[in-house]
Amino acid sequence: GENVEQHPSTLSVQEGDSAVIKCTYSDSASNYFPWYKQELGKGPQLIIDIRSNVGEKKDQRIAVTLNKTAKHFSLHITETQPEDSAVYFCATGPSGGSYIPTFGRGTSLIVHP
Amino acid sequence: NAGVMQNPRHLVRRRGQEARLRCSPMKGHSHVYWYRQLPEEGLKFMVYLQKENIIDESGMPKERFSAEFPKEGPSILRIQQVVRGDSAAYFCASSPETGQLDTQYFGPGTRLTVL
């Protein structure tokens, strides 16, 4: 089955800095790559996703890049703000009717004011 | 448009009791997924259901756990004879019936504590 590695497990930055979280995966059939933000006591919230037919997608301060050859994808957050502090999860798996994603273990992002 | 709803948000049970967790998917969604999350860990898939059908239950423990998604009403995750190791956050997610079938939206979760 799919194996997803997420790094780093903890990331501490100053407000205004950029943050990058990286995930690697093993199944070359994976073609859908969402990122979730989970705040304390809440459910994961989909913040951005990318499909294998594109290499990069951007939404305001958040971007995701995908390298299918190397089997890794990354989340980039620019101009970080304290409200970006949360746990971020990547996920992936083969897309389609019975999509069962495999999640990374999460990255705890702390943005210091 | 209401999001995925789960109840209760917190559930406390004593060992040996039953726990029932409910999930109402987003409007227009007919696919429901249940996940378990232990502290400081990622989400582990348990079961995938469509209305009146279990599609994939490969992540569900073979004993004490069951799930259903009836034609009417919410999806139910049922844990019989709970043990302390069942203490976790349980999340459900839903995805649409057409279009981007793999885009999942999560509910707020049910935090189960077994005493």
Side-chain angles (χ1 to χ4, degrees):
Chain A
E2 177 67 277
N3 182 41
V4 178
E5 303 262 349
Q6 183 172 345
H7 298 283
S9 57
T10 306
L11 181 57
S12 184
V13 300
Q14 288 296 129
E15 183 176 359
D17 288 350
S18 295
V20 181
I21 303 168
K22 183 175 176 178
C23 285
T24 60
Y25 61 98
S26 60
D27 189 346
S28 56
S30 291
N31 52 11
Y32 175 60
F33 307 89
W35 284 91
Y36 291 87
K37 174 184 181 182
Q38 186 176 26
E39 295 175 318
L40 195 62
K42 296 185 178 180
Q45 177 191 2
L46 178 67
I47 55 171
I48 195 167
D49 57 11
I50 192 169
R51 296 181 187 277
S52 59
N53 56 344
V54 297
E56 183 174 358
K57 184 177 178 180
K58 193 172 182 180
D59 182 3
Q60 298 183 340
R61 296 186 297 108
I62 294 172
V64 56
T65 58
L66 170 65
N67 184 327
K68 282 220 77 178
T69 304
K71 296 199 187 73
H72 65 72
F73 58 111
S74 299
L75 177 70
H76 305 253
I77 306 174
T78 58
E79 300 171 32
T80 54
Q81 301 167 4
E83 51 265 38
D84 294 329
S85 297
V87 179
Y88 291 81
F89 293 97
C90 64
T92 190
S95 182
S98 294
Y99 175 70
I100 308 295
T102 301
F103 284 80
R105 291 177 64 92
T107 295
S108 177
L109 173 64
I110 302 166
V111 181
H112 299 281
Chain B
N1 186 15
V4 178
M5 299 176 70
Q6 289 187 250
N7 68 80
R9 296 293 308 277
H10 300 273
L11 183 60
V12 179
R13 285 287 178 266
R14 295 191 180 279
R15 280 180 297 170
Q17 292 184 318
E18 179 179 287
R20 279 184 178 241
L21 288 61
R22 295 175 189 77
C23 169
S24 296
M26 285 178 71
K27 187 177 180 181
H29 289 194
S30 62
H31 302 241
V32 166
Y33 304 77
W34 284 94
Y35 295 86
R36 177 162 61 180
Q37 185 179 40
L38 294 170
E40 298 185 12
E41 289 194 14
L43 295 129
K44 301 296 184 188
F45 166 76
M46 298 180 74
V47 62
Y48 164 38
L49 310 104
Q50 294 179 20
K51 284 282 186 182
E52 301 184 279
N53 285 305
I54 296 174
I55 307 301
D56 187 325
E57 55 182 348
S58 58
M60 194 98 100
K62 294 287 184 277
E63 297 178 351
R64 303 187 298 109
F65 285 72
S66 62
E68 62 177 6
F69 190 13
K71 188 176 180 181
E72 301 290 337
S75 175
I76 307 274
L77 179 67
R78 183 182 178 203
I79 311 173
Q80 295 178 290
Q81 300 174 337
V82 295
V83 301
R84 289 221 173 101
D86 296 333
S87 295
Y90 292 84
F91 292 96
C92 82
S94 70
S95 65
E97 197 162 330
T98 57
Q100 310 283 26
L101 302 177
D102 45 21
T103 304
Q104 297 184 13
Y105 298 89
F106 281 81
T110 294
R111 278 143 188 89
L112 173 65
T113 301
V114 180
L115 301 177

